[in-house]
Amino acid sequence: LWDLGQQRCVHSYAVHTDSVWSLASTPTFSHVYSGGRDLSLYLTDLATRESVLLCTKEHPILQLALHDDSIWVATTDSSVHRWSAEVRNPQKVFQRGGSFLAGNLSFSRARVSLEGSTPVPVYKEPSLSISGTPGIVQHEILNNRRHVLTKDTAGKVKLWEITRGTVIHNYGEVSFEKKKEELFEMVSIPAWFTVDTRLGSLAVHLDTPQCFSAEMYSADLNIPGKPEDDKVNLARETLKGLLAHWLTKRKQRFGSQALANGEAQTGKDVPTRNLAASRIEVDGNADNDAAVYPPFEFSAASPPSIITEGSQSGPWRKKITDLDGTEDEKDMPWWVVDCVMNNRLPPRENTKCSFYLHPCEGSTVQILTQGKLSAPRILRIHKVINYVIEKMVLEKPLDSINSDGAAGMPGGQVNPAIGGDGLFRSGLKPWQKLKPSIEILCSNQVLSPDMSLATVRAYIWKKPEDLVLNYRVLTSR
């Protein structure tokens, strides 16, 4: 207890055995309620130094709030509880017995003296409880970069799908580490988001241009009606799903012309960087519309919230279903608006993977390759098999993989119009039917046709040098 006029401490009350984190006093300042790290709630008479233990909790006490004759207690748990406190007449609590005199000891000595004789709490159960959702205390981003494994304060382990903002599996009270090992996939996809659980909930962070680095084939996402070899940018489609309600509202307010031009007729200026074509890459593989694919649909019944800020506004937070369509570049990052409305992505790092293709040692079959090859990182090994077969059977290279020194492409650059993966776009798996039968190896290990070049490089090759693949002919049917 401090005297502000004298600027000095006039009394010390040795009640708690650990840090005091919250206080609440009666209106007359005659009695004080205190709670903290030792999980205990005490009532202390400041005049007589008499103290009594009201209750003990399972979690450290963070906040206290008096209301009528009760006190609300918030802890590190997500639930809040109301306890009887006799705020109008605190002496009633002391009449129940079990009180003790608060010593005038140092903190360390108080801890020693009180730990030997723990007081008995006056109340065993709260008069009212408001249950909260168990907070997330542990998380792990899985290798497929779409799923996050979490564990909450109730011990339940759940699997979240980030691109839909929902729990897809509740495993119950199981070992987090064992479940993480069980869900391990040998795939390599760039990290396009980060996650934190400091608030007890799952917070996903997207930052440009890193968030646009991850792509997958539509076949791996099971998107109906879309060619299986179309590349899908995970961040772009996730943003489309998050802002689908906003885009609908914006279209209703400003008409389809606003969507086509990328700006609304609101009199607000559009940032000049949006118009700088030299700094923008148009996603040519994606449909330039507001269609949201099933793997990116967010629930309207339990919508996530967006926390962001624009060029002329501070941070703000809204549920995605509360967006009314008036938000623009002043309220949201310009690259988000440009991506969703204009189908444009910021410049990204190189998404190609360079590699050499050689016959296995002792092989009698060789194909002509002109040095280093270049292809998208997500290119599957079955397409490399197709390339070898084309070289052997048709005696001509496919455009989808380009070699250094290829005619008309100095330095082995991939033709951007083709995109580096234009081969065998039918819905069938060609390596199952083509002849002869080819195997692709890396570091003497046979590769699965479904593996991507990035996965081979990360888990098989494991070297900084350019990837080296070998091929061998098994049979000719």
Side-chain angles (χ1 to χ4, degrees):
L1 180 65
W2 292 77
D3 186 311
L4 297 183
Q6 299 181 37
Q7 297 186 7
R8 69 182 184 89
C9 174
V10 293
H11 291 291
S12 293
Y13 302 87
V15 175
H16 291 269
T17 58
D18 213 326
S19 305
V20 179
W21 286 351
S22 186
L23 295 169
S25 72
T26 56
T28 60
F29 208 74
S30 61
H31 295 74
V32 167
Y33 301 86
S34 57
R37 192 175 179 182
D38 62 357
L39 321 181
S40 302
L41 174 63
Y42 286 96
L43 170 61
T44 302
D45 187 325
L46 296 181
T48 66
R49 308 184 65 85
E50 190 177 7
S51 289
V52 64
L53 176 63
L54 290 179
C55 63
T56 56
K57 304 288 294 175
E58 296 179 353
H59 305 276
I61 296 173
L62 297 177
Q63 292 287 342
L64 301 174
L66 295 175
H67 183 255
D68 294 333
D69 248 8
S70 302
I71 186 168
W72 287 96
V73 180
T75 68
T76 54
D77 183 36
S78 58
S79 300
V80 291
H81 306 278
R82 187 182 71 187
W83 297 81
S84 179
E86 301 291 352
V87 177
R88 296 185 182 92
N89 188 6
Q91 288 303 125
K92 287 184 178 180
V93 179
F94 291 101
Q95 292 171 4
R96 293 171 175 262
S99 63
F100 62 95
L101 287 180
N104 192 12
L105 306 173
S106 67
F107 180 78
S108 58
R109 291 175 62 195
R111 183 190 300 242
V112 173
S113 64
L114 288 177
E115 282 182 346
S117 56
T118 305
V120 178
V122 175
Y123 302 109
K124 302 295 184 182
E125 297 294 335
S127 58
L128 180 65
S129 295
I130 301 176
S131 299
T133 303
I136 296 173
V137 293
Q138 191 175 3
H139 71 274
E140 183 76 23
I141 301 174
L142 302 188
N143 284 4
N144 62 19
R145 303 295 176 182
R146 291 176 59 220
H147 296 155
V148 174
L149 193 67
T150 64
K151 182 178 182 179
D152 59 30
T153 52
K156 289 186 169 52
V157 176
K158 299 177 182 178
L159 185 64
W160 293 74
E161 187 167 6
I162 293 302
T163 55
R164 292 197 296 133
T166 187
V167 174
I168 56 175
H169 288 294
N170 184 347
Y171 299 108
E173 297 182 33
V174 299
S175 168
F176 183 85
E177 295 301 323
K178 287 184 179 178
K179 182 56 65 173
K180 183 175 70 172
E181 293 176 6
E182 181 183 319
L183 294 174
F184 173 80
E185 294 180 70
M186 196 166 69
V187 295
S188 178
I189 296 175
W192 60 282
F193 65 88
T194 57
V195 165
D196 77 64
T197 54
R198 289 174 293 178
L199 297 180
S201 56
L202 207 57
V204 181
H205 301 269
L206 298 180
D207 293 297
T208 187
Q210 304 95 304
C211 67
F212 296 108
S213 62
E215 295 177 327
M216 292 180 67
Y217 287 119
S218 60
D220 299 324
L221 294 167
N222 298 316
I223 299 177
K226 190 172 177 65
E228 68 170 23
D229 285 343
D230 277 4
K231 288 188 291 185
V232 176
N233 189 286
L234 298 183
R236 177 185 182 274
E237 299 306 323
T238 300
L239 288 172
K240 278 174 55 180
L242 283 170
L243 297 177
H245 179 83
W246 170 80
L247 206 57
T248 301
K249 290 289 186 180
R250 193 170 181 84
K251 187 173 182 180
Q252 293 172 355
R253 281 179 174 271
F254 306 114
S256 58
Q257 190 62 31
L259 302 180
N261 294 339
E263 59 181 286
Q265 300 168 3
T266 60
K268 298 182 179 180
D269 297 329
V270 177
T272 54
R273 55 187 162 188
N274 282 10
L275 306 177
S278 59
R279 297 184 54 200
I280 295 169
E281 175 183 341
V282 177
D283 188 352
N285 279 339
D287 298 326
N288 192 9
D289 57 25
V292 177
Y293 301 124
F296 303 92
E297 291 178 342
F298 288 83
S299 169
S302 181
S305 293
I306 292 177
I307 303 176
T308 188
E309 61 182 305
S311 60
Q312 296 183 16
S313 68
W316 55 271
R317 170 178 176 163
K318 278 186 182 180
K319 288 186 177 181
I320 59 173
T321 50
D322 291 339
L323 299 172
D324 59 13
T326 60
E327 302 85 2
D328 59 10
E329 297 88 351
K330 301 291 193 300
D331 309 300
M332 293 190 287
W334 69 270
W335 55 270
V336 173
V337 177
D338 208 31
C339 169
V340 175
M341 293 180 60
N342 303 325
N343 198 31
R344 293 190 293 210
L345 306 181
R348 295 166 288 166
E349 65 178 21
N350 182 27
T351 59
K352 306 295 181 185
C353 176
S354 298
F355 65 99
Y356 293 92
L357 185 60
H358 301 308
C360 286
E361 187 175 352
S363 173
T364 58
V365 179
Q366 296 191 14
I367 61 174
L368 179 64
T369 59
Q370 301 178 6
K372 187 162 58 176
L373 305 173
S374 178
R377 291 182 303 201
I378 64 173
L379 190 84
R380 297 303 179 88
I381 292 301
H382 77 76
K383 294 200 174 188
V384 180
I385 293 174
N386 293 344
Y387 173 76
V388 173
I389 292 173
E390 284 288 319
K391 281 281 193 175
M392 292 174 58
V393 177
L394 304 180
E395 298 181 350
K396 66 177 181 180
L398 291 179
D399 290 333
S400 64
I401 302 180
N402 297 271
S403 60
D404 288 350
M409 297 182 188
Q413 297 298 313
V414 177
N415 186 337
I418 297 172
D421 62 341
L423 125 179
F424 288 95
R425 287 189 172 272
S426 70
L428 301 176
K429 296 191 181 298
W431 74 87
Q432 296 175 343
K433 303 191 304 178
L434 290 176
K435 49 189 181 183
S437 180
I438 303 292
E439 279 185 343
I440 302 295
L441 297 85
C442 180
S443 300
N444 295 320
Q445 182 173 333
V446 178
L447 305 178
S448 165
D450 281 327
M451 292 180 89
S452 69
L453 292 177
T455 301
V456 174
R457 184 177 183 88
Y459 293 98
I460 310 297
W461 182 243
K462 299 179 183 179
K463 300 176 185 177
E465 298 87 4
D466 286 327
L467 180 65
V468 176
L469 301 179
N470 301 101
Y471 62 89
R472 66 183 175 200
V473 180
L474 297 180
T475 58
S476 293
R477 300 193 300 274

